[in-house]
Amino acid sequence: MANEKCTRHQADSDPRNAAHLFSCLINCHYLWVLPTSSNGRTISVSLCPPATHELLRCQKEEDRRKRRVPEESQKRMSRRFAMIRKAFWSIQQTPAAGAGRRCCRPFSQLAATKEASLPPVSENDAEIIISKMPPFDYTPPPYTGPSTAEILKKRKEFLSPSMFTFYKQPLNIVDGRMQYLFDENGRRYLDAFGGIATVCCGHCHPDVVDAIVNQTKRLQHSTILYLNPAVTEFAEALASKLPSDLKVVFFTNSGTEANELALMMARLYTGCHDIISLRNSYHGNAAGTMGATAQCIWKFNVIQSGVHHAINPDPYRGVFGSNGETYAKDLQALIDFGTSGHVAGFVCEAIQGVGGIVDLAPGYLPAAYEIIKKAGGLCIADEVQAGFARTGSHFWGFEAHGVVPDIVTMAKGIGNGIPLGAVVTTPEIAKVLTRSSYFNTFGGNPVSTAAGLAVLRVIEKEKLQENALAVGSYLKERLTTLKDKYEIIGDVRGRGLMLGVELVTDRQHKTPAKAETLHAMDQMKGMGVLVGKGGFYGNVFRITPPLCFTKEDADFLVDAMDYTMSKI
């Protein structure tokens, strides 16, 4: 691409010229404003892809259509754009400078700046990068709540000290619509993290909101000891999305709780205690699920008995590369030498989420399921992150491997942000809970299950699975192009809208670029793009946006990442 170099213009430091240039750019409505540490006497303007001329043309057309600018103002704008275009194209293309510290000024502050009263450019001059964030017809109401500083102070005083935040300057997110989030200043961000793969339909999707509000007005909570149509209708709809005889549903409040229940059911059904999971996996943070989780950063020194961790079939970092059958031999050896020869179950994510969006080596899961069944165990598919159409090609992640589990656990996308989880299994396995009393106060809550049913309907109505496949494939292709361009990108992986980009300082040794990952996240936030972070070393961008993500959103994300990578 021709974006390895950015067109730049050094404007005179005269405040009137500076104000005029700022005004022109503000009218474009597509600004990334980042303070730099240069000499304080110039304004450095960079124009990133798409091409300069085309972008300016599109911006003018967008202003005419969306803002209905009067004819006189249109003429003034045209002259301003002509001035900028002439300045951009009259100079030699040179690499963008400025490796200094950067943070972002909110759009609202720029928009409120009057041309006549704009202060002179001082020691904190600005590098302005124009990029076309896709238009979006929503403006959040003014925020009147406590400031970021006040919230941070209360958080430190009243919430758990174990809680952490992203970014050097934490974001105060107060509003959201579909694939966008808004901070306290009204600035819009492209949400490429989706609340950790949780928001599938889009933030505040009207159909889901209506279902929640209408059910809340009618009946917020009673108990599953009474009948209510919401829970049974959702259970039936959910069972219809699963293969074979998987049709008995137990509702929970989270993925951790769902996995805890699944592990207990496997132990009860088989009469064995040993559970096998994969290294690098994450299944929750309660007693049983913490044992199944295999990353020290998510484990405490408490009793976690009866769990064995097989070698992770990681095509990028794994010892056997992409040879799934060789990894399966390790699983067999683990059973032979680490257990009685019989196991309760095998729990596995189709794509490891917290572990850094690791897709399993081809051929591993079918071989692993066969080995587990011969050992008398049940196969548990953890679909907390990969489920609900996120992978695009299938509704559930395990389906891409051609296997049918005995138990499926799910959460996150099931409720589009509502606290909701579920365990689905066969009638035969489900009977084990009748040996004693199993009860969940909030499992099957009418508001939560009404939301879950609305989510299924939205996925179907808006063809979000098809969108996840089309947009996800396009996004992965563009990210792979960045890998070819920048040595720091070691791997691009995943399926649909569950993608990972791993950063390394040395491709040969795959040295994790942890500091660079944190820096890049901050830079992209400054440009209006929010991505997650994962992997054992914390060096993987987790890209799990709402499934309503568009190709235009994908372009904006990749262009921001492209620019960020060019500065590292």
Side-chain angles (χ1 to χ4, degrees):
M1 295 177 64
N3 62 344
E4 293 185 6
K5 297 182 179 180
C6 294
T7 308
R8 305 176 58 80
H9 173 58
Q10 300 294 330
D12 189 276
S13 61
D14 180 82
R16 290 171 298 175
N17 291 342
H20 184 61
L21 181 57
F22 265 80
S23 179
C24 294
L25 295 172
I26 290 168
N27 284 332
C28 295
H29 238 247
Y30 306 116
L31 298 184
W32 295 338
V33 184
L34 308 167
T36 61
S37 54
S38 54
N39 60 17
R41 304 237 358 123
T42 62
I43 298 175
S44 177
V45 182
S46 298
L47 185 60
C48 288
T52 306
H53 184 277
E54 180 65 13
L55 180 54
L56 289 171
R57 183 187 65 78
C58 291
Q59 289 165 344
K60 287 196 294 182
E61 291 179 357
E62 185 64 17
D63 267 2
R64 290 192 186 102
R65 186 176 68 84
K66 300 289 286 184
R67 302 185 64 184
R68 297 182 176 85
V69 179
E71 188 65 28
E72 289 252 294
S73 298
Q74 287 284 356
K75 292 178 181 178
R76 289 197 299 272
M77 271 178 51
S78 180
R79 288 195 295 270
R80 291 173 178 174
F81 275 108
M83 181 271 290
I84 296 172
R85 186 185 298 112
K86 181 178 179 181
F88 278 139
W89 289 103
S90 65
I91 62 171
Q92 181 181 4
Q93 287 189 332
T94 57
R101 180 181 62 82
R102 298 170 187 184
C103 59
C104 191
R105 290 178 60 195
F107 290 153
S108 56
Q109 293 180 17
L110 285 172
T113 304
K114 300 292 185 180
E115 185 171 323
S117 61
L118 189 81
V121 180
S122 61
E123 59 183 2
N124 294 320
D125 63 337
E127 181 177 295
I128 303 170
I129 307 152
I130 306 172
S131 181
K132 187 177 180 182
M133 181 182 278
F136 190 64
D137 190 19
Y138 174 76
T139 301
Y143 174 69
T144 58
S147 67
T148 299
E150 291 172 317
I151 294 171
L152 276 172
K153 182 180 178 182
K154 291 180 180 180
R155 179 168 169 142
K156 289 177 181 178
E157 184 176 358
F158 299 113
L159 296 182
S160 169
S162 67
M163 294 183 178
F164 57 89
T165 60
F166 279 166
Y167 309 117
K168 294 177 182 177
Q169 298 295 325
L171 273 175
N172 181 19
I173 296 297
V174 300
D175 212 315
R177 285 298 182 279
M178 303 309 287
Q179 66 270 42
Y180 298 106
L181 293 170
F182 299 84
D183 68 12
E184 59 186 350
N185 297 307
R187 185 184 178 188
R188 178 161 60 111
Y189 295 88
L190 178 63
D191 180 14
F193 197 25
I196 316 179
T198 298
V199 179
C200 64
C201 300
H203 293 282
C204 299
H205 191 288
D207 290 6
V208 180
V209 171
D210 286 347
I212 293 169
V213 171
N214 292 337
Q215 181 59 55
T216 303
K217 287 180 177 178
R218 186 86 182 239
L219 179 67
Q220 182 178 349
H221 180 74
S222 59
T223 171
I224 57 171
L225 298 174
Y226 306 140
L227 300 181
N228 185 273
V231 62
T232 52
E233 287 181 13
F234 181 42
E236 181 183 25
L238 193 57
S240 72
K241 305 298 292 186
L242 287 149
S244 189
D245 207 24
L246 293 164
K247 62 181 183 181
V248 180
V249 184
F250 297 86
F251 288 113
T252 66
N253 305 294
S254 68
T256 291
E257 193 177 42
N259 282 330
E260 285 280 337
L261 178 57
L263 296 178
M264 183 178 73
M265 292 173 72
R267 284 169 167 156
L268 289 172
Y269 182 78
T270 62
C272 293
H273 186 67
D274 290 298
I275 295 289
I276 297 177
S277 68
L278 297 177
R279 297 178 190 177
N280 195 56
S281 63
Y282 181 89
H283 298 288
N285 55 14
T289 50
M290 188 181 294
T293 294
Q295 291 190 48
C296 64
I297 55 177
W298 300 108
K299 295 167 80 75
F300 289 96
N301 187 23
V302 296
I303 295 175
Q304 301 165 41
S305 65
V307 181
H308 310 267
H309 302 107
I311 293 177
N312 190 32
D314 180 349
Y316 181 63
R317 289 189 174 272
V319 292
F320 304 125
S322 296
N323 193 329
E325 292 185 0
T326 303
Y327 288 109
K329 290 178 181 178
D330 168 73
L331 177 61
Q332 182 64 65
L334 185 60
I335 294 173
D336 292 341
F337 298 101
T339 75
S340 66
H342 300 280
V343 298
F346 171 68
V347 58
C348 179
E349 305 162 87
I351 299 178
Q352 293 178 337
V354 175
I357 315 297
V358 178
D359 206 346
L360 306 182
Y364 175 77
L365 208 54
Y369 270 36
E370 184 178 353
I371 290 168
I372 294 298
K373 289 181 183 298
K374 286 181 179 179
L378 299 182
C379 297
I380 304 169
D382 182 339
E383 292 287 327
V384 170
Q385 294 200 34
F388 289 89
R390 179 158 293 282
T391 60
S393 59
H394 300 84
F395 198 85
W396 307 105
F398 66 80
E399 292 178 303
H401 297 267
V403 298
V404 177
D406 301 295
I407 302 174
V408 182
T409 63
M410 58 198 73
K412 292 188 180 291
I414 190 174
N416 201 51
I418 285 290
L420 179 61
V423 177
V424 184
T425 189
T426 66
E428 181 184 356
I429 296 172
K431 288 179 183 177
V432 299
L433 292 186
T434 64
R435 298 176 188 174
S436 187
S437 296
Y438 175 79
F439 185 80
N440 188 313
T441 300
F442 297 104
N445 170 273
V447 175
S448 297
T449 50
L453 182 59
V455 166
L456 287 182
R457 289 172 174 170
V458 169
I459 291 173
E460 186 77 21
K461 181 179 72 172
E462 300 184 2
K463 300 185 183 303
L464 295 184
Q465 182 176 330
E466 292 87 338
N467 187 69
L469 177 61
V471 176
S473 299
Y474 175 77
L475 176 56
K476 187 177 181 180
E477 182 179 342
R478 286 217 58 194
L479 291 170
T480 302
T481 302
L482 289 190
K483 177 190 171 186
D484 297 336
K485 184 176 179 180
Y486 299 109
E487 285 289 317
I488 194 171
I489 299 179
D491 194 29
V492 174
R493 53 183 180 254
R495 296 196 305 275
L497 287 174
M498 189 172 183
L499 301 175
V501 178
E502 181 159 354
L503 303 189
V504 294
T505 58
D506 184 324
R507 278 193 178 181
Q508 181 179 355
H509 297 97
K510 301 176 183 177
T511 308
K514 184 174 182 178
E516 291 82 354
T517 303
L518 289 172
H519 174 76
M521 285 181 65
D522 257 309
Q523 297 304 294
M524 291 177 67
K525 183 201 79 169
M527 298 175 193
V529 176
L530 307 180
V531 296
K533 176 176 68 72
F536 180 76
Y537 304 103
N539 66 318
V540 181
F541 290 140
R542 294 168 65 186
I543 301 173
T544 55
L547 304 189
C548 53
F549 213 66
T550 67
K551 287 186 177 180
E552 291 74 20
D553 296 322
D555 285 332
F556 186 70
L557 184 158
V558 176
D559 288 346
M561 189 178 293
D562 188 359
Y563 181 82
T564 301
M565 295 296 105
S566 73
K567 298 298 184 180
I568 295 178

